Amino acid sequence: MPSAFDFAPFRRSTVGFDRLFELLENSASGQSQDNYPPFDLIKLGDNQFRISLAVAGFSQDEIDITAHQNQLIVSGQKREDGDATYIHRGIANRSFERRFGLADHIMVTSADLNDGLLSIELIREIPEAMKPRKIGIGSGETRRLDAPSRDAGRPKRASKQLQDA
Protein backbone atom coordinates (compact mmCIF):
# COMPACT_ATOMS: atom_id res chain seq x y z
CA MET A 1 0.00 0.00 0.00
CA PRO A 2 1.58 3.32 -1.03
CA SER A 3 2.17 6.08 1.47
CA ALA A 4 -0.22 9.05 1.69
CA PHE A 5 2.82 11.35 1.52
CA ASP A 6 4.85 11.73 -1.69
CA PHE A 7 8.61 11.68 -1.02
CA ALA A 8 9.57 12.17 -4.71
CA PRO A 9 10.57 15.87 -4.36
CA PHE A 10 12.92 14.97 -1.51
CA ARG A 11 14.39 12.02 -3.39
CA ARG A 12 15.29 14.32 -6.29
CA SER A 13 17.20 16.81 -4.14
CA THR A 14 19.10 14.45 -1.81
CA VAL A 15 21.85 11.90 -2.25
CA GLY A 16 22.24 8.77 -0.14
CA PHE A 17 18.96 8.99 1.78
CA ASP A 18 17.17 6.18 -0.08
CA ARG A 19 17.12 3.95 3.01
CA LEU A 20 15.56 6.72 5.10
CA PHE A 21 12.74 7.27 2.59
CA GLU A 22 12.09 3.53 2.38
CA LEU A 23 11.78 3.39 6.19
CA LEU A 24 9.38 6.33 6.20
CA GLU A 25 7.28 4.84 3.41
CA ASN A 26 7.11 1.44 5.13
CA SER A 27 6.15 2.92 8.50
CA ALA A 28 3.54 5.20 6.94
CA SER A 29 1.98 2.42 4.90
CA GLY A 30 -0.09 1.27 7.86
CA GLN A 31 1.53 -2.10 8.37
CA SER A 32 -0.07 -3.60 11.44
CA GLN A 33 2.51 -5.02 13.81
CA ASP A 34 1.89 -7.58 16.46
CA ASN A 35 2.35 -6.06 19.91
CA TYR A 36 3.88 -9.22 21.37
CA PRO A 37 6.13 -9.23 23.29
CA PRO A 38 5.81 -5.80 24.88
CA PHE A 39 9.03 -3.80 25.15
CA ASP A 40 10.57 -0.62 26.54
CA LEU A 41 13.17 1.60 24.86
CA ILE A 42 15.36 3.31 27.44
CA LYS A 43 17.95 6.06 26.89
CA LEU A 44 20.73 5.54 29.45
CA GLY A 45 23.03 8.34 28.27
CA ASP A 46 23.89 10.41 25.22
CA ASN A 47 25.18 7.34 23.36
CA GLN A 48 23.79 4.42 25.40
CA PHE A 49 20.42 2.70 25.05
CA ARG A 50 18.59 -0.40 26.30
CA ILE A 51 15.75 -2.42 24.84
CA SER A 52 13.84 -4.46 27.43
CA LEU A 53 11.44 -7.14 26.19
CA ALA A 54 8.98 -9.03 28.41
CA VAL A 55 9.63 -12.67 27.45
CA ALA A 56 8.23 -14.54 30.45
CA GLY A 57 8.36 -18.30 30.03
CA PHE A 58 11.18 -18.26 27.44
CA SER A 59 14.64 -19.60 28.27
CA GLN A 60 17.95 -18.38 26.83
CA ASP A 61 18.15 -21.21 24.30
CA GLU A 62 14.66 -20.38 22.96
CA ILE A 63 15.55 -16.76 22.06
CA ASP A 64 17.66 -15.64 19.11
CA ILE A 65 19.11 -12.12 18.72
CA THR A 66 20.55 -11.06 15.36
CA ALA A 67 21.99 -7.68 14.32
CA HIS A 68 22.24 -7.33 10.55
CA GLN A 69 22.46 -4.24 8.30
CA ASN A 70 21.06 -1.62 10.68
CA GLN A 71 18.35 -3.95 11.94
CA LEU A 72 18.06 -5.84 15.20
CA ILE A 73 15.88 -8.96 15.07
CA VAL A 74 14.77 -10.66 18.28
CA SER A 75 12.87 -13.91 17.83
CA GLY A 76 11.60 -16.59 20.16
CA GLN A 77 10.56 -20.14 19.41
CA LYS A 78 8.90 -21.91 22.35
CA ARG A 79 9.46 -25.65 22.57
CA GLU A 80 6.45 -27.85 23.11
CA ASP A 81 6.10 -29.33 26.58
CA GLY A 82 4.75 -32.76 25.66
CA ASP A 83 4.59 -34.13 29.22
CA ALA A 84 2.28 -31.50 30.73
CA THR A 85 -1.51 -31.56 30.55
CA TYR A 86 -2.84 -28.02 30.88
CA ILE A 87 -6.24 -27.21 32.34
CA HIS A 88 -5.75 -23.51 31.55
CA ARG A 89 -2.93 -21.90 29.59
CA GLY A 90 -2.72 -18.15 30.29
CA ILE A 91 1.00 -17.57 29.79
CA ALA A 92 1.74 -16.72 26.18
CA ASN A 93 3.45 -19.62 24.49
CA ARG A 94 3.56 -18.36 20.94
CA SER A 95 6.57 -17.71 18.79
CA PHE A 96 7.49 -14.10 18.10
CA GLU A 97 9.75 -11.90 16.03
CA ARG A 98 10.45 -8.24 16.85
CA ARG A 99 12.41 -5.99 14.49
CA PHE A 100 14.10 -2.77 15.52
CA GLY A 101 15.65 -0.35 13.04
CA LEU A 102 19.07 0.77 14.21
CA ALA A 103 20.65 4.08 13.25
CA ASP A 104 24.10 4.15 11.72
CA HIS A 105 26.93 3.36 14.14
CA ILE A 106 24.64 1.73 16.76
CA MET A 107 26.22 -1.47 18.05
CA VAL A 108 24.77 -4.18 20.30
CA THR A 109 27.12 -4.61 23.26
CA SER A 110 25.36 -7.25 25.38
CA ALA A 111 22.13 -9.09 26.13
CA ASP A 112 20.87 -10.57 29.39
CA LEU A 113 17.78 -12.54 30.39
CA ASN A 114 16.73 -12.02 33.99
CA ASP A 115 13.32 -12.41 35.71
CA GLY A 116 11.48 -12.72 32.39
CA LEU A 117 13.00 -9.54 30.93
CA LEU A 118 15.42 -9.65 28.02
CA SER A 119 17.69 -6.59 28.19
CA ILE A 120 19.71 -5.65 25.13
CA GLU A 121 22.37 -2.97 25.60
CA LEU A 122 23.23 -0.69 22.68
CA ILE A 123 25.88 1.98 22.17
CA ARG A 124 26.53 4.57 19.49
CA GLU A 125 30.19 4.50 18.41
CA ILE A 126 31.05 7.17 15.87
CA PRO A 127 34.19 6.29 13.84
CA GLU A 128 37.14 8.70 13.87
CA ALA A 129 36.58 9.52 10.20
CA MET A 130 33.07 10.80 11.03
CA LYS A 131 34.10 13.10 13.90
CA PRO A 132 34.50 16.84 13.21
CA ARG A 133 37.99 17.99 12.24
CA LYS A 134 39.70 21.38 11.91
CA ILE A 135 40.72 22.41 8.41
CA GLY A 136 43.74 24.73 8.36
CA ILE A 137 43.56 27.54 5.82
CA GLY A 138 46.51 27.59 3.43
CA SER A 139 48.47 25.02 5.43
CA GLY A 140 47.12 21.97 3.63
CA GLU A 141 46.77 20.16 6.94
CA THR A 142 43.72 18.82 8.75
CA ARG A 143 43.35 17.72 12.34
CA ARG A 144 40.58 16.63 14.67
CA LEU A 145 39.04 19.41 16.75
CA ASP A 146 39.90 17.71 20.04
CA ALA A 147 43.50 16.81 19.04
CA PRO A 148 46.39 19.05 20.14
CA SER A 149 48.10 21.01 17.42
CA ARG A 150 51.53 19.93 16.15
CA ASP A 151 53.12 23.02 17.64
CA ALA A 152 51.80 22.36 21.16
CA GLY A 153 54.68 21.92 23.57
CA ARG A 154 57.38 23.13 21.14
CA PRO A 155 59.42 26.17 22.04
CA LYS A 156 58.81 29.13 19.75
CA ARG A 157 61.71 30.32 17.64
CA ALA A 158 62.66 33.92 17.85
CA SER A 159 62.24 35.87 14.69
CA LYS A 160 65.28 36.76 12.57
CA GLN A 161 65.20 40.41 13.74
CA LEU A 162 65.42 39.38 17.41
CA GLN A 163 68.26 36.94 16.70
CA ASP A 164 70.33 39.62 14.92
CA ALA A 165 69.95 42.12 17.80
Side-chain angles (χ1 to χ4, degrees):
M1 180 176 167
S3 167
F5 189 80
D6 182 21
F7 292 106
F10 297 109
R11 285 183 186 268
R12 285 191 299 264
S13 62
T14 60
V15 176
F17 289 93
D18 296 337
R19 185 176 158 275
L20 173 67
F21 293 124
E22 288 171 10
L23 286 171
L24 288 171
E25 286 172 345
N26 289 339
S27 67
S29 67
Q31 293 176 347
S32 63
Q33 272 195 348
D34 188 14
N35 290 328
Y36 178 76
F39 67 93
D40 290 336
L41 296 174
I42 305 161
K43 184 172 183 175
L44 302 172
D46 287 341
N47 294 314
Q48 293 179 308
F49 307 91
R50 177 183 300 140
I51 299 172
S52 294
L53 288 103
V55 292
F58 285 85
S59 64
Q60 284 183 342
D61 58 332
E62 295 172 330
I63 298 174
D64 186 43
I65 303 169
T66 306
H68 181 66
Q69 294 183 350
N70 292 29
Q71 194 164 90
L72 177 67
I73 303 167
V74 182
S75 57
Q77 182 72 32
K78 192 73 175 148
R79 293 194 180 89
E80 288 297 320
D81 190 7
D83 297 339
T85 303
Y86 290 92
I87 297 170
H88 171 74
R89 191 165 207 163
I91 298 174
N93 194 27
R94 63 183 181 206
S95 299
F96 68 88
E97 183 177 279
R98 272 280 190 190
R99 293 178 179 259
F100 299 93
L102 301 178
D104 292 336
H105 314 297
I106 298 286
M107 307 296 293
V108 177
T109 58
S110 66
D112 187 35
L113 181 63
N114 193 10
D115 295 332
L117 284 179
L118 175 65
S119 297
I120 303 169
E121 304 290 327
L122 308 160
I123 191 165
R124 177 182 297 136
E125 292 181 350
I126 300 172
E128 285 296 316
M130 301 295 288
K131 291 183 179 175
R133 61 187 186 278
K134 181 80 171 170
I135 310 295
I137 300 174
S139 68
E141 95 176 34
T142 63
R143 64 182 171 90
R144 279 195 7 246
L145 287 177
D146 58 349
S149 70
R150 277 202 240 166
D151 298 330
R154 287 188 187 171
K156 300 269 186 207
R157 263 200 252 167
S159 70
K160 179 130 176 87
Q161 292 173 350
L162 289 176
Q163 288 177 351
D164 293 339

